[in-house]
Each structure stands twice: as C-alpha cells, then as structure tokens.
C-alpha cells in the first residue's frame, strides 16, 4: 500500500480499477468490470453468502449499488470523463430474486449539458431481469 499525495488516501494498488476509478467498495464486493464505451457499461458479480438477506438471495442494497455504478459509469462515457459521476436521483424496481452470477448493464439515455439520464438492468444466469433502475447523474468537477 502506498500513500497517494493527490488525495491523501492510502490505496492498495492490487485493487481492481473500475473504468479508471479506484472504488474500494466494488472491489470488496468482487465486482468485475467488463466494458464501458459509447454509453454502454457491463459489469459482473457473483452473489456471495455474506451479501445475502434472510431469504438467501442478494440483499437489495448490493443490487442497487451495482445498478447505481453501472448507470454512473455509462454517464461518464458520454465525454470520456475521468472523474466520478454523482447520483442525483435513482428509482429501482426488484422483479425477482438475484442469485448466482449477475450481470448488470448500464445505458446512457441522454447526455445533457450538466445532467445525464441513464438506466440499468440486473440479469440472472438465465438472462432474466432481476432488477432495473433509472437515474439522473451529474459528472464530478
């Protein structure tokens, strides 16, 4: 681990980088970045027992985290923005339990002057949508 003088944070350089960003929580969850380009993002995640609820399926907050990140990353693709995106608003619907391998796809719907509109879906191994979200984002300055 080394000290990064630009932000005075200790960073583990063995962590996964998520489309240019060091996001410790996503690394902790075991999220796998697949691609981010032209308004489309895809990430993977395998549900771990310690991330489940009393029904032994992915806890909703974990799925919301994945949806939120996928949308924010999709917003960043509009201008190849190197800093993060800040969530202004997010609406999520849970359609069925999330179990096993989950793929999350984020899409930039509209890149505005300062506000970006996105959506994302979480898919199970059968390709069924387990959750979906829409959100508005502003790019960090």
């Amino acid at each position: 681990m080394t000290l990064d003088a630009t932000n005075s944070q200790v960073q583990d350089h063995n962590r996964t980088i998520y489309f240019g960003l060091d996001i410790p929580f996503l690394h902790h969850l075991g999220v796998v970045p697949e691609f981010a380009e032209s308004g489309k993002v895809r990430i993977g995640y395998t549900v771990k027992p310690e991330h489940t609820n009393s029904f032994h399926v992915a806890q909703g907050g974990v799925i919301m985290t994945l949806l939120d990140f996928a949308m924010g990353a999709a917003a960043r693709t509009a201008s190849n923005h190197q800093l993060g995106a800040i969530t202004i608003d997010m609406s999520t619907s849970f359609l069925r339990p999330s179990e096993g391998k989950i793929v999350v796809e984020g899409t930039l719907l509209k890149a505005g002057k300062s506000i970006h509109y996105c959506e994302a879906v979480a898919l199970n191994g059968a390709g069924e949508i387990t959750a979906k979200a829409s959100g508005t984002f502003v790019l960090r300055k």
Side-chain angles (χ1 to χ4, degrees):
M1 294 175 86
T2 60
L3 182 63
D4 179 358
T6 60
N7 63 10
S8 299
Q9 289 184 9
V10 175
Q11 293 186 355
D12 176 353
H13 292 286
N14 294 319
R15 277 202 298 255
T16 303
I17 299 300
Y18 297 92
F19 313 125
L21 297 178
D22 176 27
I23 307 173
F25 187 56
L26 293 184
H27 178 80
H28 171 75
L29 291 175
V31 175
V32 177
E34 295 183 14
F35 72 84
E37 57 187 53
S38 304
K40 301 283 186 186
V41 168
R42 184 179 169 111
I43 59 175
Y45 165 75
T46 300
V47 178
K48 297 177 183 173
E50 60 270 26
H51 300 158
T52 62
N53 60 23
S54 62
F55 301 111
H56 304 287
V57 299
Q59 199 275 340
V62 171
I63 299 303
M64 289 181 75
T65 294
L66 303 175
L67 294 164
D68 180 50
F69 170 72
M71 290 187 293
R76 292 176 48 224
T77 67
S79 60
N80 198 25
H81 190 72
Q82 296 304 308
L83 301 175
I86 300 166
T87 309
I88 296 171
D89 179 70
M90 179 175 167
S91 176
T92 306
S93 297
F94 296 97
L95 307 176
R96 57 181 49 89
S98 294
E99 304 174 273
K101 171 88 168 121
I102 303 297
V103 170
V104 178
E105 297 174 344
T107 304
L108 172 65
L109 300 175
K110 181 180 183 298
K113 207 169 175 182
S114 60
I115 305 295
H116 293 61
Y117 302 90
C118 302
E119 66 182 10
V121 294
L123 305 160
N124 64 18
E128 300 169 314
I129 297 174
T130 65
K132 65 181 187 126
S134 61
T136 53
F137 297 79
V138 63
L139 300 180
R140 185 175 156 212
K141 294 181 185 205

